Amino acid sequence: MKIITHLGGINEIPACAGNVMRVVIQRVSKASVTISGSEVASIHHGLLILLGIEEEDTQEDIDWLVSKIAKLRIFSDEAGNMNLSVMDTNGDVFVVSQFTLHASTKKGNRPSFIKAAKPEIAIPLYEKFVSTLENQLGKKVATGEFGAMMEVALINDGPVTIIIDSKNKE
């Protein structure tokens, strides 16, 4: 899978109304990002989170999603039931920004990414999402690199893949 994102600096989080941040969460036995032939980050046993940000996303979306992700019981207990969270298992977490999660394919065959936040909005929200998640987990979170052509490799454990949209709160 190749993902393109954009590089920029941290600014303040917009105070717009709306809740449309989207994540794809994959339970992985390992995941890594390679840029220009060099591996820049990797994890073992944990979660790979693909994060899609829209212009209207807020700190409220970040807080809700981070709390949900940290406590999501998708790891097996001794009986083989999904009863443990990434926090319970001391698992690693990897976050990759992916604007294509907000693709619209309603018209024609070429996806439109008009709903995806522009870098000046997406970057501070992405960085705030990562720092809020690090605070919740009490450990460093691995990330990709904005603006780089990334090769994301993973071994999906299960497979377990869950999509959460902060608008629907499902």
PDB file of all heavy atoms in Angstrom, residues 25-32 41-49 69-70 74-75 85-95 133-134 137-143:
ATOM      1  N   ILE A  25      -8.583   0.985  11.921  1.00  0.00           N
ATOM      2  CA  ILE A  25      -7.720   0.395  12.931  1.00  0.00           C
ATOM      3  C   ILE A  25      -7.471  -1.056  12.547  1.00  0.00           C
ATOM      4  O   ILE A  25      -8.430  -1.814  12.318  1.00  0.00           O
ATOM      5  CB  ILE A  25      -8.391   0.442  14.317  1.00  0.00           C
ATOM      6  CG1 ILE A  25      -8.732   1.887  14.681  1.00  0.00           C
ATOM      7  CG2 ILE A  25      -7.521  -0.222  15.376  1.00  0.00           C
ATOM      8  CD1 ILE A  25      -9.698   1.998  15.836  1.00  0.00           C
ATOM      9  N   GLN A  26      -6.204  -1.434  12.472  1.00  0.00           N
ATOM     10  CA  GLN A  26      -5.855  -2.811  12.155  1.00  0.00           C
ATOM     11  C   GLN A  26      -4.994  -3.385  13.274  1.00  0.00           C
ATOM     12  O   GLN A  26      -3.991  -2.778  13.658  1.00  0.00           O
ATOM     13  CB  GLN A  26      -5.117  -2.881  10.823  1.00  0.00           C
ATOM     14  CG  GLN A  26      -6.006  -2.418   9.679  1.00  0.00           C
ATOM     15  CD  GLN A  26      -5.291  -2.417   8.350  1.00  0.00           C
ATOM     16  OE1 GLN A  26      -4.286  -1.766   8.198  1.00  0.00           O
ATOM     17  NE2 GLN A  26      -5.826  -3.165   7.404  1.00  0.00           N
ATOM     18  N   ARG A  27      -5.417  -4.530  13.816  1.00  0.00           N
ATOM     19  CA  ARG A  27      -4.595  -5.230  14.799  1.00  0.00           C
ATOM     20  C   ARG A  27      -3.492  -5.926  14.018  1.00  0.00           C
ATOM     21  O   ARG A  27      -3.771  -6.677  13.076  1.00  0.00           O
ATOM     22  CB  ARG A  27      -5.437  -6.246  15.572  1.00  0.00           C
ATOM     23  CG  ARG A  27      -4.681  -6.879  16.731  1.00  0.00           C
ATOM     24  CD  ARG A  27      -5.547  -7.839  17.488  1.00  0.00           C
ATOM     25  NE  ARG A  27      -5.693  -9.071  16.722  1.00  0.00           N
ATOM     26  CZ  ARG A  27      -6.483 -10.077  17.076  1.00  0.00           C
ATOM     27  NH1 ARG A  27      -7.231  -9.995  18.158  1.00  0.00           N
ATOM     28  NH2 ARG A  27      -6.548 -11.162  16.345  1.00  0.00           N
ATOM     29  N   VAL A  28      -2.252  -5.645  14.386  1.00  0.00           N
ATOM     30  CA  VAL A  28      -1.114  -6.151  13.609  1.00  0.00           C
ATOM     31  C   VAL A  28      -0.125  -6.899  14.497  1.00  0.00           C
ATOM     32  O   VAL A  28       0.012  -6.609  15.693  1.00  0.00           O
ATOM     33  CB  VAL A  28      -0.375  -5.002  12.875  1.00  0.00           C
ATOM     34  CG1 VAL A  28      -1.292  -4.328  11.856  1.00  0.00           C
ATOM     35  CG2 VAL A  28       0.204  -3.980  13.830  1.00  0.00           C
ATOM     36  N   SER A  29       0.554  -7.845  13.871  1.00  0.00           N
ATOM     37  CA  SER A  29       1.682  -8.478  14.557  1.00  0.00           C
ATOM     38  C   SER A  29       2.956  -7.698  14.259  1.00  0.00           C
ATOM     39  O   SER A  29       3.906  -7.734  15.024  1.00  0.00           O
ATOM     40  CB  SER A  29       1.829  -9.948  14.167  1.00  0.00           C
ATOM     41  OG  SER A  29       1.928 -10.096  12.778  1.00  0.00           O
ATOM     42  N   LYS A  30       2.946  -6.953  13.139  1.00  0.00           N
ATOM     43  CA  LYS A  30       4.000  -5.979  12.866  1.00  0.00           C
ATOM     44  C   LYS A  30       3.562  -5.055  11.749  1.00  0.00           C
ATOM     45  O   LYS A  30       2.712  -5.388  10.929  1.00  0.00           O
ATOM     46  CB  LYS A  30       5.347  -6.625  12.565  1.00  0.00           C
ATOM     47  CG  LYS A  30       5.436  -7.426  11.307  1.00  0.00           C
ATOM     48  CD  LYS A  30       6.854  -7.984  11.174  1.00  0.00           C
ATOM     49  CE  LYS A  30       6.993  -8.896   9.983  1.00  0.00           C
ATOM     50  NZ  LYS A  30       8.362  -9.359   9.814  1.00  0.00           N
ATOM     51  N   ALA A  31       4.149  -3.842  11.757  1.00  0.00           N
ATOM     52  CA  ALA A  31       3.866  -2.841  10.722  1.00  0.00           C
ATOM     53  C   ALA A  31       5.081  -1.937  10.606  1.00  0.00           C
ATOM     54  O   ALA A  31       5.811  -1.734  11.575  1.00  0.00           O
ATOM     55  CB  ALA A  31       2.632  -2.020  11.080  1.00  0.00           C
ATOM     56  N   SER A  32       5.288  -1.408   9.401  1.00  0.00           N
ATOM     57  CA  SER A  32       6.422  -0.509   9.185  1.00  0.00           C
ATOM     58  C   SER A  32       6.113   0.463   8.055  1.00  0.00           C
ATOM     59  O   SER A  32       5.232   0.225   7.236  1.00  0.00           O
ATOM     60  CB  SER A  32       7.689  -1.302   8.849  1.00  0.00           C
ATOM     61  OG  SER A  32       7.535  -1.987   7.621  1.00  0.00           O
ATOM     62  N   ALA A  41      10.113   3.753  10.528  1.00  0.00           N
ATOM     63  CA  ALA A  41       9.482   3.380  11.789  1.00  0.00           C
ATOM     64  C   ALA A  41       8.871   1.995  11.647  1.00  0.00           C
ATOM     65  O   ALA A  41       8.487   1.590  10.547  1.00  0.00           O
ATOM     66  CB  ALA A  41       8.417   4.397  12.182  1.00  0.00           C
ATOM     67  N   SER A  42       8.787   1.289  12.788  1.00  0.00           N
ATOM     68  CA  SER A  42       8.148  -0.025  12.787  1.00  0.00           C
ATOM     69  C   SER A  42       7.633  -0.341  14.184  1.00  0.00           C
ATOM     70  O   SER A  42       8.095   0.235  15.173  1.00  0.00           O
ATOM     71  CB  SER A  42       9.123  -1.109  12.326  1.00  0.00           C
ATOM     72  OG  SER A  42      10.173  -1.255  13.257  1.00  0.00           O
ATOM     73  N   ILE A  43       6.666  -1.234  14.248  1.00  0.00           N
ATOM     74  CA  ILE A  43       6.137  -1.719  15.520  1.00  0.00           C
ATOM     75  C   ILE A  43       5.932  -3.225  15.432  1.00  0.00           C
ATOM     76  O   ILE A  43       5.900  -3.800  14.342  1.00  0.00           O
ATOM     77  CB  ILE A  43       4.799  -1.049  15.913  1.00  0.00           C
ATOM     78  CG1 ILE A  43       3.679  -1.404  14.913  1.00  0.00           C
ATOM     79  CG2 ILE A  43       4.965   0.451  16.065  1.00  0.00           C
ATOM     80  CD1 ILE A  43       2.280  -1.092  15.405  1.00  0.00           C
ATOM     81  N   HIS A  44       5.761  -3.841  16.601  1.00  0.00           N
ATOM     82  CA  HIS A  44       5.375  -5.242  16.720  1.00  0.00           C
ATOM     83  C   HIS A  44       4.199  -5.313  17.681  1.00  0.00           C
ATOM     84  O   HIS A  44       4.128  -4.536  18.629  1.00  0.00           O
ATOM     85  CB  HIS A  44       6.530  -6.083  17.251  1.00  0.00           C
ATOM     86  CG  HIS A  44       7.646  -6.211  16.272  1.00  0.00           C
ATOM     87  ND1 HIS A  44       8.655  -5.271  16.180  1.00  0.00           N
ATOM     88  CD2 HIS A  44       7.896  -7.134  15.322  1.00  0.00           C
ATOM     89  CE1 HIS A  44       9.486  -5.626  15.229  1.00  0.00           C
ATOM     90  NE2 HIS A  44       9.050  -6.744  14.690  1.00  0.00           N
ATOM     91  N   HIS A  45       3.278  -6.216  17.444  1.00  0.00           N
ATOM     92  CA  HIS A  45       2.127  -6.467  18.307  1.00  0.00           C
ATOM     93  C   HIS A  45       1.441  -5.170  18.739  1.00  0.00           C
ATOM     94  O   HIS A  45       1.845  -4.524  19.697  1.00  0.00           O
ATOM     95  CB  HIS A  45       2.540  -7.264  19.544  1.00  0.00           C
ATOM     96  CG  HIS A  45       1.418  -7.424  20.528  1.00  0.00           C
ATOM     97  ND1 HIS A  45       0.350  -8.257  20.322  1.00  0.00           N
ATOM     98  CD2 HIS A  45       1.183  -6.815  21.719  1.00  0.00           C
ATOM     99  CE1 HIS A  45      -0.480  -8.169  21.346  1.00  0.00           C
ATOM    100  NE2 HIS A  45       0.003  -7.303  22.206  1.00  0.00           N
ATOM    101  N   GLY A  46       0.433  -4.787  18.004  1.00  0.00           N
ATOM    102  CA  GLY A  46      -0.278  -3.567  18.363  1.00  0.00           C
ATOM    103  C   GLY A  46      -1.303  -3.169  17.329  1.00  0.00           C
ATOM    104  O   GLY A  46      -1.935  -4.017  16.702  1.00  0.00           O
ATOM    105  N   LEU A  47      -1.413  -1.846  17.135  1.00  0.00           N
ATOM    106  CA  LEU A  47      -2.401  -1.289  16.224  1.00  0.00           C
ATOM    107  C   LEU A  47      -1.750  -0.405  15.172  1.00  0.00           C
ATOM    108  O   LEU A  47      -0.909   0.432  15.504  1.00  0.00           O
ATOM    109  CB  LEU A  47      -3.411  -0.439  16.998  1.00  0.00           C
ATOM    110  CG  LEU A  47      -4.217  -1.112  18.091  1.00  0.00           C
ATOM    111  CD1 LEU A  47      -5.069  -0.079  18.827  1.00  0.00           C
ATOM    112  CD2 LEU A  47      -5.074  -2.227  17.529  1.00  0.00           C
ATOM    113  N   LEU A  48      -2.161  -0.575  13.930  1.00  0.00           N
ATOM    114  CA  LEU A  48      -1.856   0.368  12.862  1.00  0.00           C
ATOM    115  C   LEU A  48      -3.130   1.167  12.644  1.00  0.00           C
ATOM    116  O   LEU A  48      -4.198   0.596  12.399  1.00  0.00           O
ATOM    117  CB  LEU A  48      -1.456  -0.334  11.569  1.00  0.00           C
ATOM    118  CG  LEU A  48      -1.299   0.579  10.355  1.00  0.00           C
ATOM    119  CD1 LEU A  48      -0.143   1.559  10.549  1.00  0.00           C
ATOM    120  CD2 LEU A  48      -1.112  -0.226   9.084  1.00  0.00           C
ATOM    121  N   ILE A  49      -3.019   2.492  12.776  1.00  0.00           N
ATOM    122  CA  ILE A  49      -4.180   3.368  12.633  1.00  0.00           C
ATOM    123  C   ILE A  49      -3.974   4.269  11.428  1.00  0.00           C
ATOM    124  O   ILE A  49      -3.018   5.041  11.376  1.00  0.00           O
ATOM    125  CB  ILE A  49      -4.371   4.232  13.898  1.00  0.00           C
ATOM    126  CG1 ILE A  49      -4.569   3.336  15.120  1.00  0.00           C
ATOM    127  CG2 ILE A  49      -5.540   5.197  13.716  1.00  0.00           C
ATOM    128  CD1 ILE A  49      -4.467   4.076  16.439  1.00  0.00           C
ATOM    129  N   ILE A  69     -10.052   4.292  20.932  1.00  0.00           N
ATOM    130  CA  ILE A  69      -8.969   3.440  20.437  1.00  0.00           C
ATOM    131  C   ILE A  69      -8.189   2.812  21.591  1.00  0.00           C
ATOM    132  O   ILE A  69      -7.913   1.612  21.591  1.00  0.00           O
ATOM    133  CB  ILE A  69      -8.023   4.244  19.519  1.00  0.00           C
ATOM    134  CG1 ILE A  69      -8.732   4.599  18.205  1.00  0.00           C
ATOM    135  CG2 ILE A  69      -6.731   3.473  19.247  1.00  0.00           C
ATOM    136  CD1 ILE A  69      -8.041   5.677  17.391  1.00  0.00           C
ATOM    137  N   ALA A  70      -7.828   3.618  22.576  1.00  0.00           N
ATOM    138  CA  ALA A  70      -7.016   3.126  23.693  1.00  0.00           C
ATOM    139  C   ALA A  70      -7.729   2.033  24.485  1.00  0.00           C
ATOM    140  O   ALA A  70      -7.086   1.127  25.017  1.00  0.00           O
ATOM    141  CB  ALA A  70      -6.639   4.286  24.609  1.00  0.00           C
ATOM    142  N   ILE A  74      -9.853  -5.470  21.486  1.00  0.00           N
ATOM    143  CA  ILE A  74      -9.744  -6.301  20.289  1.00  0.00           C
ATOM    144  C   ILE A  74      -8.554  -7.259  20.349  1.00  0.00           C
ATOM    145  O   ILE A  74      -8.202  -7.875  19.343  1.00  0.00           O
ATOM    146  CB  ILE A  74      -9.697  -5.448  19.001  1.00  0.00           C
ATOM    147  CG1 ILE A  74      -8.508  -4.493  18.995  1.00  0.00           C
ATOM    148  CG2 ILE A  74     -11.016  -4.712  18.808  1.00  0.00           C
ATOM    149  CD1 ILE A  74      -8.325  -3.756  17.676  1.00  0.00           C
ATOM    150  N   PHE A  75      -7.952  -7.394  21.528  1.00  0.00           N
ATOM    151  CA  PHE A  75      -6.870  -8.350  21.724  1.00  0.00           C
ATOM    152  C   PHE A  75      -7.382  -9.508  22.580  1.00  0.00           C
ATOM    153  O   PHE A  75      -8.203  -9.310  23.478  1.00  0.00           O
ATOM    154  CB  PHE A  75      -5.660  -7.679  22.390  1.00  0.00           C
ATOM    155  CG  PHE A  75      -4.991  -6.688  21.499  1.00  0.00           C
ATOM    156  CD1 PHE A  75      -5.374  -5.354  21.500  1.00  0.00           C
ATOM    157  CD2 PHE A  75      -3.976  -7.080  20.631  1.00  0.00           C
ATOM    158  CE1 PHE A  75      -4.774  -4.428  20.673  1.00  0.00           C
ATOM    159  CE2 PHE A  75      -3.367  -6.167  19.794  1.00  0.00           C
ATOM    160  CZ  PHE A  75      -3.761  -4.843  19.813  1.00  0.00           C
ATOM    161  N   SER A  85      -7.487  -4.518  25.687  1.00  0.00           N
ATOM    162  CA  SER A  85      -7.182  -3.345  24.860  1.00  0.00           C
ATOM    163  C   SER A  85      -5.682  -3.299  24.570  1.00  0.00           C
ATOM    164  O   SER A  85      -4.900  -4.053  25.156  1.00  0.00           O
ATOM    165  CB  SER A  85      -7.591  -2.068  25.595  1.00  0.00           C
ATOM    166  OG  SER A  85      -6.719  -1.850  26.699  1.00  0.00           O
ATOM    167  N   VAL A  86      -5.287  -2.371  23.708  1.00  0.00           N
ATOM    168  CA  VAL A  86      -3.862  -2.165  23.429  1.00  0.00           C
ATOM    169  C   VAL A  86      -3.144  -1.725  24.699  1.00  0.00           C
ATOM    170  O   VAL A  86      -1.977  -2.058  24.913  1.00  0.00           O
ATOM    171  CB  VAL A  86      -3.653  -1.178  22.248  1.00  0.00           C
ATOM    172  CG1 VAL A  86      -4.029   0.250  22.626  1.00  0.00           C
ATOM    173  CG2 VAL A  86      -2.232  -1.253  21.713  1.00  0.00           C
ATOM    174  N   MET A  87      -3.840  -1.010  25.572  1.00  0.00           N
ATOM    175  CA  MET A  87      -3.254  -0.610  26.849  1.00  0.00           C
ATOM    176  C   MET A  87      -3.047  -1.828  27.754  1.00  0.00           C
ATOM    177  O   MET A  87      -2.015  -1.946  28.404  1.00  0.00           O
ATOM    178  CB  MET A  87      -4.140   0.431  27.546  1.00  0.00           C
ATOM    179  CG  MET A  87      -4.154   1.769  26.834  1.00  0.00           C
ATOM    180  SD  MET A  87      -5.287   2.969  27.574  1.00  0.00           S
ATOM    181  CE  MET A  87      -4.555   3.196  29.177  1.00  0.00           C
ATOM    182  N   ASP A  88      -4.035  -2.738  27.780  1.00  0.00           N
ATOM    183  CA  ASP A  88      -3.934  -3.940  28.607  1.00  0.00           C
ATOM    184  C   ASP A  88      -2.763  -4.819  28.191  1.00  0.00           C
ATOM    185  O   ASP A  88      -2.148  -5.475  29.029  1.00  0.00           O
ATOM    186  CB  ASP A  88      -5.224  -4.770  28.521  1.00  0.00           C
ATOM    187  CG  ASP A  88      -6.442  -4.065  29.066  1.00  0.00           C
ATOM    188  OD1 ASP A  88      -6.291  -3.239  29.988  1.00  0.00           O
ATOM    189  OD2 ASP A  88      -7.549  -4.336  28.560  1.00  0.00           O
ATOM    190  N   THR A  89      -2.478  -4.863  26.893  1.00  0.00           N
ATOM    191  CA  THR A  89      -1.429  -5.741  26.366  1.00  0.00           C
ATOM    192  C   THR A  89      -0.083  -5.036  26.215  1.00  0.00           C
ATOM    193  O   THR A  89       0.877  -5.648  25.761  1.00  0.00           O
ATOM    194  CB  THR A  89      -1.846  -6.317  25.000  1.00  0.00           C
ATOM    195  OG1 THR A  89      -1.987  -5.245  24.063  1.00  0.00           O
ATOM    196  CG2 THR A  89      -3.150  -7.105  25.092  1.00  0.00           C
ATOM    197  N   ASN A  90      -0.045  -3.734  26.571  1.00  0.00           N
ATOM    198  CA  ASN A  90       1.152  -2.912  26.378  1.00  0.00           C
ATOM    199  C   ASN A  90       1.614  -2.957  24.917  1.00  0.00           C
ATOM    200  O   ASN A  90       2.811  -2.975  24.619  1.00  0.00           O
ATOM    201  CB  ASN A  90       2.288  -3.330  27.319  1.00  0.00           C
ATOM    202  CG  ASN A  90       3.346  -2.260  27.418  1.00  0.00           C
ATOM    203  OD1 ASN A  90       3.057  -1.062  27.294  1.00  0.00           O
ATOM    204  ND2 ASN A  90       4.580  -2.669  27.617  1.00  0.00           N
ATOM    205  N   GLY A  91       0.642  -2.973  24.002  1.00  0.00           N
ATOM    206  CA  GLY A  91       0.942  -3.039  22.577  1.00  0.00           C
ATOM    207  C   GLY A  91       1.453  -1.716  22.038  1.00  0.00           C
ATOM    208  O   GLY A  91       1.303  -0.661  22.662  1.00  0.00           O
ATOM    209  N   ASP A  92       2.072  -1.794  20.876  1.00  0.00           N
ATOM    210  CA  ASP A  92       2.570  -0.609  20.183  1.00  0.00           C
ATOM    211  C   ASP A  92       1.463  -0.025  19.312  1.00  0.00           C
ATOM    212  O   ASP A  92       0.515  -0.720  18.938  1.00  0.00           O
ATOM    213  CB  ASP A  92       3.758  -0.967  19.292  1.00  0.00           C
ATOM    214  CG  ASP A  92       4.967  -1.423  20.082  1.00  0.00           C
ATOM    215  OD1 ASP A  92       5.190  -0.898  21.189  1.00  0.00           O
ATOM    216  OD2 ASP A  92       5.696  -2.307  19.582  1.00  0.00           O
ATOM    217  N   VAL A  93       1.611   1.252  18.965  1.00  0.00           N
ATOM    218  CA  VAL A  93       0.645   1.918  18.089  1.00  0.00           C
ATOM    219  C   VAL A  93       1.399   2.701  17.027  1.00  0.00           C
ATOM    220  O   VAL A  93       2.405   3.344  17.316  1.00  0.00           O
ATOM    221  CB  VAL A  93      -0.297   2.848  18.886  1.00  0.00           C
ATOM    222  CG1 VAL A  93      -1.246   3.584  17.953  1.00  0.00           C
ATOM    223  CG2 VAL A  93      -1.080   2.060  19.929  1.00  0.00           C
ATOM    224  N   PHE A  94       0.894   2.631  15.799  1.00  0.00           N
ATOM    225  CA  PHE A  94       1.471   3.310  14.645  1.00  0.00           C
ATOM    226  C   PHE A  94       0.353   4.116  14.002  1.00  0.00           C
ATOM    227  O   PHE A  94      -0.705   3.572  13.699  1.00  0.00           O
ATOM    228  CB  PHE A  94       1.974   2.262  13.656  1.00  0.00           C
ATOM    229  CG  PHE A  94       3.051   2.715  12.722  1.00  0.00           C
ATOM    230  CD1 PHE A  94       4.158   1.920  12.517  1.00  0.00           C
ATOM    231  CD2 PHE A  94       2.961   3.901  12.023  1.00  0.00           C
ATOM    232  CE1 PHE A  94       5.163   2.301  11.651  1.00  0.00           C
ATOM    233  CE2 PHE A  94       3.954   4.292  11.154  1.00  0.00           C
ATOM    234  CZ  PHE A  94       5.065   3.482  10.965  1.00  0.00           C
ATOM    235  N   VAL A  95       0.549   5.424  13.805  1.00  0.00           N
ATOM    236  CA  VAL A  95      -0.472   6.277  13.189  1.00  0.00           C
ATOM    237  C   VAL A  95       0.060   6.822  11.866  1.00  0.00           C
ATOM    238  O   VAL A  95       1.160   7.387  11.821  1.00  0.00           O
ATOM    239  CB  VAL A  95      -0.865   7.454  14.109  1.00  0.00           C
ATOM    240  CG1 VAL A  95      -1.896   8.350  13.421  1.00  0.00           C
ATOM    241  CG2 VAL A  95      -1.403   6.950  15.441  1.00  0.00           C
ATOM    242  N   LEU A 133      -2.879  10.717  21.867  1.00  0.00           N
ATOM    243  CA  LEU A 133      -2.806   9.261  21.971  1.00  0.00           C
ATOM    244  C   LEU A 133      -1.598   8.839  22.818  1.00  0.00           C
ATOM    245  O   LEU A 133      -1.700   7.946  23.664  1.00  0.00           O
ATOM    246  CB  LEU A 133      -2.757   8.632  20.576  1.00  0.00           C
ATOM    247  CG  LEU A 133      -2.863   7.114  20.480  1.00  0.00           C
ATOM    248  CD1 LEU A 133      -4.116   6.591  21.178  1.00  0.00           C
ATOM    249  CD2 LEU A 133      -2.841   6.680  19.024  1.00  0.00           C
ATOM    250  N   GLU A 134      -0.466   9.502  22.618  1.00  0.00           N
ATOM    251  CA  GLU A 134       0.723   9.207  23.431  1.00  0.00           C
ATOM    252  C   GLU A 134       0.448   9.470  24.910  1.00  0.00           C
ATOM    253  O   GLU A 134       0.839   8.661  25.768  1.00  0.00           O
ATOM    254  CB  GLU A 134       1.918  10.037  22.962  1.00  0.00           C
ATOM    255  CG  GLU A 134       2.488   9.566  21.647  1.00  0.00           C
ATOM    256  CD  GLU A 134       3.602  10.439  21.094  1.00  0.00           C
ATOM    257  OE1 GLU A 134       3.655  11.650  21.444  1.00  0.00           O
ATOM    258  OE2 GLU A 134       4.407   9.922  20.293  1.00  0.00           O
ATOM    259  N   LEU A 137      -1.841   6.663  26.231  1.00  0.00           N
ATOM    260  CA  LEU A 137      -1.180   5.364  26.339  1.00  0.00           C
ATOM    261  C   LEU A 137       0.005   5.388  27.301  1.00  0.00           C
ATOM    262  O   LEU A 137       0.436   4.337  27.786  1.00  0.00           O
ATOM    263  CB  LEU A 137      -0.696   4.899  24.965  1.00  0.00           C
ATOM    264  CG  LEU A 137      -1.762   4.679  23.894  1.00  0.00           C
ATOM    265  CD1 LEU A 137      -1.111   4.400  22.551  1.00  0.00           C
ATOM    266  CD2 LEU A 137      -2.698   3.542  24.294  1.00  0.00           C
ATOM    267  N   GLY A 138       0.573   6.578  27.508  1.00  0.00           N
ATOM    268  CA  GLY A 138       1.758   6.690  28.339  1.00  0.00           C
ATOM    269  C   GLY A 138       3.009   6.162  27.666  1.00  0.00           C
ATOM    270  O   GLY A 138       3.955   5.718  28.318  1.00  0.00           O
ATOM    271  N   LYS A 139       3.015   6.218  26.331  1.00  0.00           N
ATOM    272  CA  LYS A 139       4.181   5.760  25.569  1.00  0.00           C
ATOM    273  C   LYS A 139       4.213   6.407  24.200  1.00  0.00           C
ATOM    274  O   LYS A 139       3.210   6.965  23.741  1.00  0.00           O
ATOM    275  CB  LYS A 139       4.186   4.232  25.457  1.00  0.00           C
ATOM    276  CG  LYS A 139       3.035   3.674  24.626  1.00  0.00           C
ATOM    277  CD  LYS A 139       2.865   2.164  24.705  1.00  0.00           C
ATOM    278  CE  LYS A 139       4.032   1.397  24.182  1.00  0.00           C
ATOM    279  NZ  LYS A 139       3.806  -0.058  24.142  1.00  0.00           N
ATOM    280  N   LYS A 140       5.359   6.342  23.550  1.00  0.00           N
ATOM    281  CA  LYS A 140       5.571   6.912  22.228  1.00  0.00           C
ATOM    282  C   LYS A 140       4.742   6.159  21.184  1.00  0.00           C
ATOM    283  O   LYS A 140       4.585   4.939  21.271  1.00  0.00           O
ATOM    284  CB  LYS A 140       7.062   6.833  21.878  1.00  0.00           C
ATOM    285  CG  LYS A 140       7.446   7.528  20.623  1.00  0.00           C
ATOM    286  CD  LYS A 140       7.723   8.984  20.861  1.00  0.00           C
ATOM    287  CE  LYS A 140       8.295   9.630  19.619  1.00  0.00           C
ATOM    288  NZ  LYS A 140       7.558  10.793  19.210  1.00  0.00           N
ATOM    289  N   VAL A 141       4.232   6.890  20.222  1.00  0.00           N
ATOM    290  CA  VAL A 141       3.481   6.332  19.100  1.00  0.00           C
ATOM    291  C   VAL A 141       4.322   6.508  17.838  1.00  0.00           C
ATOM    292  O   VAL A 141       4.847   7.592  17.588  1.00  0.00           O
ATOM    293  CB  VAL A 141       2.114   7.048  18.957  1.00  0.00           C
ATOM    294  CG1 VAL A 141       1.423   6.682  17.660  1.00  0.00           C
ATOM    295  CG2 VAL A 141       1.222   6.738  20.151  1.00  0.00           C
ATOM    296  N   ALA A 142       4.457   5.448  17.041  1.00  0.00           N
ATOM    297  CA  ALA A 142       5.195   5.525  15.778  1.00  0.00           C
ATOM    298  C   ALA A 142       4.347   6.271  14.744  1.00  0.00           C
ATOM    299  O   ALA A 142       3.115   6.194  14.768  1.00  0.00           O
ATOM    300  CB  ALA A 142       5.536   4.127  15.273  1.00  0.00           C
ATOM    301  N   THR A 143       5.009   6.996  13.839  1.00  0.00           N
ATOM    302  CA  THR A 143       4.294   7.739  12.795  1.00  0.00           C
ATOM    303  C   THR A 143       5.029   7.629  11.463  1.00  0.00           C
ATOM    304  O   THR A 143       6.211   7.304  11.425  1.00  0.00           O
ATOM    305  CB  THR A 143       4.166   9.235  13.144  1.00  0.00           C
ATOM    306  OG1 THR A 143       5.468   9.797  13.260  1.00  0.00           O
ATOM    307  CG2 THR A 143       3.392   9.443  14.435  1.00  0.00           C
TER     308      THR A 143
END
